[in-house]
Amino acid sequence: HVVVAVGEEHLLLDAGGTFRFSPQPEDAPLRPSADVLFASVAARHGSRGVAVVLTGMGRDGARGMLALRRVGFHTIAQDPATSVIGGMPRAAVAAGAAMEVLPIEGIGPRVAAVLRGRAG
């Protein structure tokens, strides 16, 4: 399944394990926010998962990705050199949130390998 955040609402993983849209938190500066999504997953999900920050402007996603890394997720940032806008992946790397930095063409195969249990 693929769920995409659109419009002015955040995408969250709720306490029941269901993705839903929410206007909360209202004080989040960006809508939808990767940090809000990642933080909700970190708070409610086990440690088996992969989080990826791709091209984008600003720092959104760095703090949330760090929360995911701290609970055991495998975290990947797109190589800023292969990003149209390198701000978001660069911020994730600077925050210590990214375990790996990969060019765009390497991310899909790496996610598949990690989820198959070949993280090494």
Side-chain angles (χ1 to χ4, degrees):
H1 296 283
V2 175
V3 182
V4 178
V6 294
E8 293 295 314
E9 293 194 318
H10 301 294
L11 178 62
L12 303 163
L13 184 65
D14 68 20
T18 301
F19 284 106
R20 65 178 178 84
F21 295 99
S22 174
Q24 302 296 324
E26 289 183 3
D27 62 347
L30 300 171
R31 294 182 169 275
S33 169
D35 277 329
V36 171
L37 170 63
F38 287 168
S40 74
V41 174
R44 293 171 180 85
H45 193 279
S47 63
R48 182 164 159 70
V50 180
V52 179
V53 169
L54 299 172
T55 185
M57 188 182 310
R59 301 188 46 80
D60 189 35
R63 186 174 32 243
M65 180 182 259
L66 182 58
L68 286 168
R69 183 173 185 183
R70 287 180 174 154
V71 299
F73 269 60
H74 191 95
T75 55
I76 301 169
Q78 182 179 354
D79 178 0
T82 68
S83 300
V84 174
I85 301 172
M88 286 175 63
R90 195 173 292 113
V93 172
M99 297 170 68
E100 294 186 272
V101 179
L102 299 173
I104 188 67
E105 63 274 3
I107 293 173
R110 185 63 176 139
V111 168
V114 169
L115 292 176
R116 283 191 308 264
R118 294 188 278 240

